Amino acid sequence: MSTAMVPAEAEAEILAELRRLRARVPQLSGALAGSSDGLVLAQDSAATEVEAVAALTAAALGVAQRLSDSTGQGGFRELLVRGEHGYVATYAAGDAAVLTLIAEPRVNVGRLHLEARRSSLRIAELIDDILGRRGPVRPALPPSPSA
């Protein structure tokens, strides 16, 4: 599903969520919220290739969705890639957006998943507000444990 460019105040809210996520998981070197078709919605990263990462995320998302569907695992939720120098993790943020994170190799993957899933739900809510959609009420997640 295509997402139009987000209004500045919505981009600021998404960016604030990305920054809170990076504060909760200090081993993140980058965070990107993008549309499912590869547009950057907001990013908190020193990387200069954010548009390329967003486009590659959209391509990986397409493959991951097909793989999940064809193996009977249901709709796409997340994808984790482990490379020699760390991780790239992508999480569904509703139907229209994704959250992509770049993490150091020493990240606690369980903590990464926990915090990213919370943030992806928040980003999905923000995107739904932007698009004027409200889906079924999602169950509330417990508050993040204190670090």
Side-chain angles (χ1 to χ4, degrees):
M1 173 177 292
S2 178
T3 304
M5 295 304 290
V6 297
E9 62 272 1
E11 181 181 352
E13 287 186 56
I14 295 169
L15 180 58
E17 181 60 35
L18 296 179
R19 288 183 175 153
R20 285 190 296 271
L21 174 59
R22 287 193 65 190
R24 293 189 313 263
V25 185
Q27 297 81 19
L28 291 178
S29 56
L32 165 77
S35 68
S36 57
D37 57 0
L39 297 175
V40 175
L41 301 176
Q43 61 94 16
D44 184 23
S45 171
T48 57
E49 303 284 330
V50 292
E51 287 84 11
V53 172
L56 288 169
T57 296
L61 177 64
V63 172
Q65 286 172 328
R66 287 180 50 197
L67 181 61
S68 184
D69 287 343
S70 68
T71 57
Q73 302 306 308
F76 172 80
R77 293 290 179 255
E78 55 199 46
L79 172 68
L80 180 68
V81 176
R82 180 176 176 216
E84 290 179 24
H85 304 293
Y87 296 88
V88 179
T90 298
Y91 301 84
D95 294 331
V98 293
L99 170 64
T100 296
L101 306 173
I102 300 170
E104 298 172 2
R106 63 188 179 92
V107 71
N108 177 319
V109 176
R111 180 71 185 252
L112 174 71
H113 285 321
L114 177 73
E115 298 296 347
R117 288 169 185 156
R118 286 187 173 117
S119 288
S120 67
L121 285 174
R122 177 68 181 131
I123 291 167
E125 291 169 354
L126 291 168
I127 297 297
D128 284 348
D129 286 346
I130 293 165
L131 298 177
R133 294 190 306 223
R134 275 292 176 196
V137 176
R138 296 176 195 62
L141 292 174
S144 177
S146 298

